[in-house]
Amino acid sequence: MHNILLVEDDDAIATVVSAALEDDGYSVTRCASILERDKALIGQSYSVMLTDVMLTDGDGIESLPEVSAAHPDMPIIILSAQNTLDTAVRATDTGAFEYFPKPFDLDELSRAVNQAVGTRAEQSPDTDEAGGGLPLVGRSQAMQGVYRMITRVLRNDLTVLVLGESGTGKELVAEAIHQLGHRKTGPFVAVNAAAIPSDLIESELFGHEKGAFTGAVAQSIGKFEQANGGTLFLDEIGDMPLDAQTRLLRALQSGKIRRVGGRQEIAIDVRIVAATNRDLKPMIAAGTFREDLFYRLNVVPIEIPPLRQRRDDIEALAKHFLKVATEEGLPARQIDAAALNILKDQNWPGNVRELRNTMFRLIVMARDDVIEADSVAAIIEDMGKAVSAITEHGFGQTLYLWLEQESPSPGTVYHAATSAFEKPLFEWALTQTGGNQLKAAQLLGINRNTLRKRITELKLIADDYGR
């Protein structure tokens, strides 16, 4: 019979876990402190150890490297109510077999114990500190799966595809993977495929040689070479043109790139993290996104929940943005409970980005040091009026709202806005003309070949607009 050591000071949790493991045929030894744990490990062999983090006499993670060194063949599973990314990273850095935030699924825990018993986990404690300033905020159950997935890719170079709605924090996940991983000393380079004109994206990614095209007056180093030794974050990968997709796939397969207009192949050493707010599978079926590229990118998918599915995090996020605002030179503010409750009741279609912008607006508009419910209610009402004004007053209001919610980076505003608004414009024209491209081009006042080219680049299917 396999012996399991359970280090847990919550008697209710210890009883439930013990009963489940005993039902699976294991013998369970229970203790509630680090001191009792160390005594139990003397002269006794255990197949697996399960340990809480906050114990009666200290932090259950801090001394785990010594435990692993003394018992290198004993897998360790960590349980924790301190459900932060920092805790997940610390758990992974000890070489733990698995990490479970509380509350956890008992069946999943049982499966993990069975797997741990059936393997000889290679423990390799890493003494690197996780450090402060982690980019992700929130302890909700919805974010725990995100944290666990992040910790699983920190010690390898597997390609990650981050999925989620606009404003959920996909780039923050990429930054966390970079900052906490073994490439943290290298560069982190981000590129937004939707914000770059289609005829320039290959040059942006791979660079170009002097004279490669009109305007190429000097050699230019692309994002791949800039990210060498670090991480390349490809945001809005679903908006990448097919030609660029083909070259990207070739680069990922070979580990080499060729600058536009160049002949020499250049070896690159980058970790790829891609992201999209689009569903790529229908695009694959429509032939607008390469299936082989999808499988090359989708090695480890991480899906970010929208803010409406993690309302428990709104308070922590709001207070975090108050702190960030102070660091950026805005007045120091606090927020009361009633105001927080109003924030929690909103759906936040713009997700965390929208909440951030709202908090900054509240800070600027607030007359007192404490933001109260009336101030939040007024801002929320103004936001509702702005949405109504889109219909009433047209394009200008739409543009202002889009700029407020998306906050495009300096230097990308024009191309980002053009990309965002050109697609629905063409969709409208095709709908008005029943999918007839000649009539749509005439309606728009552009050349038919230009329309056809943009339909392909924007991944539109003209037949979908037929009547």
Short mmCIF file of all heavy atoms in Angstrom, two decimals, residues 22 34 37 44 61 92 127 129 186 188 191 244 247-248 266 302 349 353:
data_model
loop_
_atom_site.label_atom_id
_atom_site.label_comp_id
_atom_site.label_asym_id
_atom_site.label_seq_id
_atom_site.Cartn_x
_atom_site.Cartn_y
_atom_site.Cartn_z
N GLU A 22 -8.06 7.56 0.88
CA GLU A 22 -8.23 6.23 1.48
C GLU A 22 -9.20 5.38 0.67
O GLU A 22 -9.02 4.17 0.53
CB GLU A 22 -8.68 6.37 2.94
CG GLU A 22 -7.57 6.87 3.85
CD GLU A 22 -8.07 7.27 5.23
OE1 GLU A 22 -9.32 7.29 5.44
OE2 GLU A 22 -7.23 7.58 6.10
N ILE A 34 4.82 22.46 9.86
CA ILE A 34 6.12 22.13 9.27
C ILE A 34 6.92 21.23 10.21
O ILE A 34 7.57 20.28 9.77
CB ILE A 34 6.90 23.44 8.97
CG1 ILE A 34 6.14 24.27 7.91
CG2 ILE A 34 8.31 23.14 8.50
CD1 ILE A 34 6.70 25.65 7.69
N ARG A 37 5.58 17.82 10.00
CA ARG A 37 5.96 17.27 8.69
C ARG A 37 7.38 16.71 8.73
O ARG A 37 7.65 15.60 8.27
CB ARG A 37 5.87 18.37 7.63
CG ARG A 37 6.30 17.95 6.24
CD ARG A 37 6.65 19.17 5.38
NE ARG A 37 7.88 19.81 5.83
CZ ARG A 37 8.35 20.96 5.36
NH1 ARG A 37 7.63 21.64 4.46
NH2 ARG A 37 9.49 21.46 5.80
N GLN A 44 10.79 7.56 7.51
CA GLN A 44 9.57 7.03 6.87
C GLN A 44 9.56 7.46 5.39
O GLN A 44 9.88 8.60 5.07
CB GLN A 44 8.32 7.57 7.57
CG GLN A 44 7.01 7.17 6.92
CD GLN A 44 6.75 5.67 6.99
OE1 GLN A 44 6.91 5.06 8.04
NE2 GLN A 44 6.37 5.09 5.87
N ILE A 61 5.87 26.43 1.59
CA ILE A 61 6.65 26.36 0.35
C ILE A 61 8.13 26.62 0.60
O ILE A 61 9.00 26.01 -0.02
CB ILE A 61 6.11 27.37 -0.70
CG1 ILE A 61 4.76 26.90 -1.23
CG2 ILE A 61 7.08 27.52 -1.86
CD1 ILE A 61 4.17 27.81 -2.29
N THR A 92 5.63 26.22 -8.59
CA THR A 92 6.31 25.60 -9.72
C THR A 92 7.82 25.64 -9.55
O THR A 92 8.53 24.69 -9.89
CB THR A 92 5.93 26.33 -11.02
OG1 THR A 92 4.52 26.24 -11.19
CG2 THR A 92 6.60 25.70 -12.23
N THR A 127 16.20 28.12 -7.82
CA THR A 127 16.32 29.12 -6.76
C THR A 127 16.03 30.53 -7.25
O THR A 127 16.12 31.48 -6.49
CB THR A 127 17.73 29.08 -6.16
OG1 THR A 127 18.68 29.29 -7.22
CG2 THR A 127 18.00 27.75 -5.49
N GLU A 129 14.18 33.79 -7.96
CA GLU A 129 13.03 34.38 -7.30
C GLU A 129 12.03 34.86 -8.34
O GLU A 129 12.38 35.35 -9.40
CB GLU A 129 13.49 35.57 -6.44
CG GLU A 129 14.38 35.13 -5.27
CD GLU A 129 14.77 36.29 -4.41
OE1 GLU A 129 14.36 37.43 -4.72
OE2 GLU A 129 15.50 36.08 -3.44
N GLY A 186 16.27 38.12 -21.78
CA GLY A 186 16.24 38.51 -23.19
C GLY A 186 15.15 39.54 -23.45
O GLY A 186 14.38 39.89 -22.57
N PHE A 188 11.67 41.31 -24.82
CA PHE A 188 10.26 40.99 -25.09
C PHE A 188 9.79 41.96 -26.16
O PHE A 188 9.78 43.17 -25.96
CB PHE A 188 9.42 41.15 -23.82
CG PHE A 188 7.94 40.94 -24.04
CD1 PHE A 188 7.41 39.66 -24.06
CD2 PHE A 188 7.10 42.02 -24.25
CE1 PHE A 188 6.05 39.46 -24.27
CE2 PHE A 188 5.73 41.83 -24.46
CZ PHE A 188 5.21 40.55 -24.47
N VAL A 191 4.24 42.70 -31.37
CA VAL A 191 3.82 43.24 -32.66
C VAL A 191 2.35 42.92 -32.86
O VAL A 191 1.92 41.79 -32.62
CB VAL A 191 4.68 42.67 -33.82
CG1 VAL A 191 4.64 41.16 -33.84
CG2 VAL A 191 4.23 43.24 -35.15
N ALA A 244 1.78 36.35 -45.38
CA ALA A 244 2.62 36.46 -44.19
C ALA A 244 2.50 35.22 -43.32
O ALA A 244 3.46 34.79 -42.67
CB ALA A 244 2.25 37.71 -43.40
N ARG A 247 4.97 32.63 -44.63
CA ARG A 247 6.34 32.91 -44.24
C ARG A 247 6.56 32.68 -42.75
O ARG A 247 7.61 32.20 -42.32
CB ARG A 247 6.73 34.34 -44.61
CG ARG A 247 6.91 34.55 -46.11
CD ARG A 247 7.74 35.77 -46.40
NE ARG A 247 9.11 35.63 -45.88
CZ ARG A 247 10.04 36.57 -46.02
NH1 ARG A 247 9.75 37.71 -46.63
NH2 ARG A 247 11.24 36.40 -45.52
N LEU A 248 5.55 33.01 -41.95
CA LEU A 248 5.66 32.78 -40.51
C LEU A 248 5.77 31.29 -40.22
O LEU A 248 6.59 30.86 -39.41
CB LEU A 248 4.44 33.37 -39.80
CG LEU A 248 4.33 33.09 -38.30
CD1 LEU A 248 5.52 33.66 -37.55
CD2 LEU A 248 3.02 33.67 -37.74
N ILE A 266 18.82 33.52 -41.85
CA ILE A 266 19.34 33.93 -40.55
C ILE A 266 18.69 33.08 -39.46
O ILE A 266 17.46 33.03 -39.36
CB ILE A 266 19.03 35.42 -40.30
CG1 ILE A 266 19.62 36.27 -41.43
CG2 ILE A 266 19.55 35.86 -38.94
CD1 ILE A 266 19.11 37.69 -41.43
N ILE A 302 -4.02 29.03 -23.91
CA ILE A 302 -4.41 29.63 -22.64
C ILE A 302 -5.56 30.58 -22.91
O ILE A 302 -5.40 31.55 -23.63
CB ILE A 302 -3.25 30.39 -21.97
CG1 ILE A 302 -2.07 29.45 -21.69
CG2 ILE A 302 -3.71 31.05 -20.68
CD1 ILE A 302 -0.86 30.14 -21.05
N PRO A 349 -18.07 45.24 -21.34
CA PRO A 349 -17.78 44.65 -22.66
C PRO A 349 -16.36 44.91 -23.12
O PRO A 349 -15.81 44.14 -23.92
CB PRO A 349 -18.80 45.35 -23.57
CG PRO A 349 -19.21 46.59 -22.83
CD PRO A 349 -19.15 46.23 -21.38
N ARG A 353 -9.45 46.41 -19.79
CA ARG A 353 -9.03 47.69 -20.35
C ARG A 353 -10.08 48.77 -20.10
O ARG A 353 -9.77 49.91 -19.75
CB ARG A 353 -8.78 47.55 -21.85
CG ARG A 353 -8.25 48.84 -22.48
CD ARG A 353 -8.21 48.75 -24.00
NE ARG A 353 -7.21 47.80 -24.44
CZ ARG A 353 -7.48 46.73 -25.18
NH1 ARG A 353 -8.72 46.47 -25.54
NH2 ARG A 353 -6.52 45.92 -25.55
#
